[in-house]
Amino acid sequence: MKKVLVLGGTRFFGKRLVEQLINANYDVTIATRGLTKDDFGEKVKRIVFNRDNPNSMEQLAQQSWDVVYDNICYSPNEAKEIVNVLKGKVGRFVFTSTLAVYEECKNVIEDRFNPYTYPIQYGNREDYTYAEGKKLAEAILFQQADFPVVAVRFPVVIGENDYTERLLFHVKKIWNHQELVIKNLENEMTFITEEEAGEFLNWLSTNDVTGPINACSNDVITFNELIQICEEELGIKANIVDQGEKENQSPYDTYSHTYLSNQLAKDLGFKFSNVKDEIKKLIHSYQKNLVKK
């Protein structure tokens, strides 16, 4: 039975990952700050730890692990600490990274950002942007770890448990006939659902792929297509403008200049879904909650 450690696993796609691992009959331990309750019961073991406390981190090194998933590393200092703590203790390390490591590019493939040669700097999360923190974390993991590493570069993740509520933001604006600011309706995006993100991460526990890998659903969607889907499913015409108050600006504007190629993952055998169908289901779920209110 594989022993698996998940750093962060109580919400969103991390929770979906743990569910997949449990269903695969792995010996699963989740390590969190203990702030978010989970409903896994006796199906998992638990470690309460604090990444800012080296003594607390040492708990992770009391055992050896076949696979470690790190969903909550955002800085080079955090990456350096985990590399030191788990030295000689890990068969395989899966790091949750992001499409944000790439510069603006369409249908971007993995070699557009090379963490093996990226210059290393050290610092805490507050010292860097989200994108730069992830770049530097990747660089440290690939250049300094003594265990095999794979970095999963996700695009925008959507789902009912999305605590960022970015897709819900659009649904609410349209539902309430409010102005929605989108600078360019032709900008394109890729997505992945929380369920598929969990499935993909679990899939990585069954093979020996290493290095960076993109993971996204098959559809590339323009802003215009996304809004059209919302309009069709809600039965309401959106009020779209290209300039307006910041509070009405789409939170997807930041991510709509780059979209991923998932060809490498597909070549390795993973079958992705078509996300447009999933977006429609999600909009209906949001709509039911809005009607109740």
Side-chain angles (χ1 to χ4, degrees):
M1 180 183 293
K2 283 186 179 179
K3 289 184 63 176
V4 181
L5 173 66
V6 181
L7 306 185
T10 57
R11 63 178 185 171
F12 207 20
F13 63 84
K15 183 177 180 179
R16 300 300 189 187
L17 165 63
V18 174
E19 291 170 350
Q20 292 279 327
L21 296 170
I22 291 171
N23 291 337
N25 294 316
Y26 292 155
D27 180 358
V28 182
T29 298
I30 58 174
T32 70
R33 292 177 297 169
L35 302 179
T36 303
K37 292 183 179 180
D38 66 80
D39 55 5
F40 301 128
E42 296 181 356
K43 297 175 183 177
V44 302
K45 301 180 180 70
R46 295 169 183 78
I47 296 174
V48 177
F49 84 119
N50 183 342
R51 291 197 91 129
D52 298 326
N53 185 331
N55 293 330
S56 177
M57 290 287 290
E58 286 297 328
Q59 296 176 86
L60 307 181
Q62 299 306 308
Q63 306 176 57
S64 293
W65 310 96
D66 294 300
V67 186
V68 173
Y69 290 93
D70 194 345
N71 298 323
I72 52 174
C73 178
Y74 300 99
S75 74
N77 281 4
E78 290 172 342
K80 180 64 174 177
E81 184 69 22
I82 204 71
V83 164
N84 292 339
V85 167
L86 294 181
K87 185 175 182 179
K89 297 287 185 177
V90 182
R92 179 173 174 72
F93 191 92
V94 182
F95 172 58
T96 300
S97 191
T98 172
L99 133 159
V101 300
Y102 298 115
E103 300 299 326
E104 182 177 330
C105 186
K106 297 183 177 182
N107 204 34
V108 65
I109 60 175
E110 287 78 3
D111 65 4
R112 288 299 298 265
F113 171 65
N114 185 354
Y116 296 95
T117 59
Y118 196 69
I120 288 175
Q121 301 178 51
Y122 295 101
N124 296 315
R125 188 186 306 191
E126 60 270 19
D127 298 323
Y128 302 100
T129 64
Y130 173 73
E132 186 63 19
K134 287 289 190 178
K135 285 182 180 181
L136 290 167
E138 278 198 29
I140 288 170
L141 288 166
F142 284 115
Q143 294 179 39
Q144 298 184 1
D146 73 340
F147 39 76
V149 175
V150 57
V152 183
R153 294 170 179 169
F154 283 134
V156 173
V157 183
I158 57 174
E160 290 188 15
N161 298 301
D162 178 11
Y163 55 89
T164 71
E165 298 186 343
R166 289 175 291 188
L167 179 58
L168 179 58
F169 175 90
H170 299 77
V171 173
K172 281 183 174 180
K173 289 293 183 184
I174 296 171
W175 180 258
N176 293 318
H177 302 275
Q178 294 174 332
E179 189 176 88
L180 179 56
V181 180
I182 298 175
K183 295 179 181 178
N184 185 352
L185 284 168
E186 296 309 312
N187 278 345
E188 297 167 300
M189 293 170 283
T190 40
F191 295 89
I192 191 167
T193 66
E194 60 179 292
E195 292 86 0
E196 192 158 55
E199 290 169 8
F200 186 81
L201 291 169
N202 176 54
W203 175 76
L204 288 172
S205 71
T206 65
N207 61 66
D208 58 359
V209 60
T210 57
I213 188 166
N214 295 338
C216 66
S217 301
N218 287 323
D219 300 310
V220 176
I221 303 178
T222 65
F223 253 128
N224 195 41
E225 289 174 313
L226 178 63
I227 296 305
Q228 286 179 353
I229 292 172
C230 289
E231 290 176 329
E232 290 169 5
E233 299 307 312
L234 296 173
I236 299 172
K237 181 69 175 176
N239 179 16
I240 306 298
V241 296
D242 59 8
Q243 294 184 18
E245 298 296 328
K246 186 175 181 180
E247 64 188 28
N248 295 327
Q249 184 174 348
S250 167
Y252 286 158
D253 263 340
T254 304
Y255 306 97
S256 62
H257 309 290
T258 302
Y259 63 85
L260 299 175
S261 166
N262 61 9
Q263 192 60 52
L264 174 59
K266 289 197 291 188
D267 289 345
L268 291 168
F270 191 85
K271 295 181 180 180
F272 290 99
S273 67
N274 296 317
V275 79
K276 289 180 183 179
D277 293 333
E278 300 301 323
I279 288 176
K280 291 177 182 179
K281 293 177 187 177
L282 193 52
I283 291 171
H284 279 302
S285 175
Y286 289 151
Q287 184 183 23
K288 288 179 182 177
N289 291 330
L290 290 171
V291 170
K292 291 177 182 178
K293 293 179 180 179

